[in-house]
Amino acid sequence: MTLAVGELYWDPFDVEIDTNPYECWRRLRDEAPVYRNERYDFWALSRFADVQAASADPKTFMSSRGTVLELMGSEMAFTNMIIFMDPPEHDSLRALVSRAFTPKRVAALEERIRDVCVSLLDPFVGAGEFDYVQDFGAQLPSTVISMLLGVPASERREVLHHIDTIFHIEPGVGMVNDISVRSQMWLMEYISEKLAERRLQPRDDLFTALVQAEIPDDAGGSRRLTDLEAAAFGNLLVSAGTETVARLLGWTAVVLDAHPEQRSEVAADRALIPNTVEELLRFEAPSPVQGRWTSRDVEMHGVTIPANSKVLLITGSAGRDERRYANADTFDVHREIGTHVTFGFGIHFCLGAALARLEGRIALEETLKRFPEWQVDHGRAERLHTSTVRGWKSVPVAVA
Ligand code: HEM
């Protein structure tokens, strides 16, 4: 949309703003920490402290009316996914999945994740060029989450195609379009089939854990998950665990190429890799906006957000808040980051954070082992604009 020079405007659908939102987010933090967008009827918080405080108060800032702007308010879209639930329902389901999704289960994946990285990257040694996102970044997380759940290798490509399609957005309606909805339904059906198979033949995978898991029931006893609950959970893990990590890896290629001296330093000292991943997460948040619904009037910075309002928490802006991070716009692999909110904060803190960090670390280790340098072809690189993730669809890189 066209605006008078200097007018402060932000919405999450505007492709031009999304390409480089940082100046706009800086102005939101400075000039309108409680920003109001009339056109799409939402409020936005952009400062680190406000985003963190709102995330820590799920009673006031609820998730059960949706967390993706264009899907907020309509009740039907989000039953049964913990990311769209409030306590107490959220907590019992989350406890259940945390039990299935243990640090031990995640750590046990290290070797398998490394094997996947090796098999994806080795073919490009000596090839001169490959697409860091299409050929690697998008393949790794879908393979890993599929392994974890128990999706057979032969079906992974089709599953990934539908996951990608779910994130398809159209102007004005975002993810509420036939193409996206068809793929969501396909995935739900697919997962239901797998769950039915596991009921008959349990295996050592997450699909089986989901059908065997029990949660407290209303009568004080316990019960198994319903088909819909289990399928919704599988669906959430697949969608949340794939697109986000693919975006993190795209940013890894682009940001490190833009900082070649730091890349050389990290290549020479692999102990810097975990903090590099953390700094990448702070610097370019793969999932930069989380929606909430207010249960009461909230006053902040002299502005009252009325009850029953949509509030967008811009976690991507929080990571660049100079009130929280010195030289926030500088990428620095040595930075002492402390807390960041790129994985959210509070009860909805990303369930897959340990897995995402593990994938980010091993991906970078295996990349630098083979390719200590690469050059991004910006002429052919392509951005991806969806309602939930921000990053790159295609990053062609030249390698020695
Ligand atoms: C770099 C990668 C990732 C990023 C940036 C990311 C980001 C986030 C954020 C910001 C939230 C909080 C949403 C909110 O407050 O409304 C979240 C929640 C969640 N994430 Fe992730 N995520 C990543 C990877 C993963 C992976 C690999 C998985 C699973 C395998 C996963 C599963 C989930 C789930 C299930 C929730 C909901 C938790 C709850 O509501 O209690 N995420 N993630």
Side-chain angles (χ1 to χ4, degrees), residues 11-30:
D11 76 52
F13 306 121
D14 189 310
V15 170
E16 211 175 304
I17 299 175
D18 185 66
T19 302
N20 186 358
Y22 293 110
E23 175 57 17
C24 177
W25 287 346
R26 187 189 59 72
R27 288 191 55 198
L28 291 183
R29 292 191 300 270
D30 289 348

Side-chain angles (χ1 to χ4, degrees), residues 26 62 76 79 91 158 270 294 341 385 399:
R26 187 189 59 72
M62 296 158 54
M76 39 116 348
T79 41
D91 302 359
E158 197 179 7
R270 306 267 167 78
T294 50
V341 288
H385 297 283
V399 288

Side-chain angles (χ1 to χ4, degrees), residues 55 62-63 66-68 81-85 90-91 93-95 97-98 101 106 141 144-145 148-149 206 233 236-249 277 281 284-292 313 315 340-357 359-360 388-389:
S55 306
M62 296 158 54
S63 293
T67 65
V68 178
M81 287 199 187
I82 54 168
I83 202 162
F84 305 131
M85 283 182 185
H90 169 270
D91 302 359
L93 254 188
R94 166 127 186 170
V97 185
S98 307
F101 210 75
V106 172
V144 169
I145 197 79
L148 195 65
L149 281 166
L206 216 60
F233 221 106
L236 175 61
L237 289 176
V238 172
S239 7
T242 307
E243 286 291 319
T244 45
V245 176
R247 302 297 73 83
L248 166 65
L249 298 182
V277 172
L281 287 162
E284 295 285 9
S287 168
V289 179
Q290 330 300 326
R292 294 292 188 266
L313 310 180
T315 44
H340 64 68
V341 288
T342 299
F343 285 122
F345 187 81
I347 64 163
H348 291 284
F349 179 80
C350 178
L351 194 68
L355 179 60
R357 287 176 162 136
E359 289 182 60
T388 53
V389 294

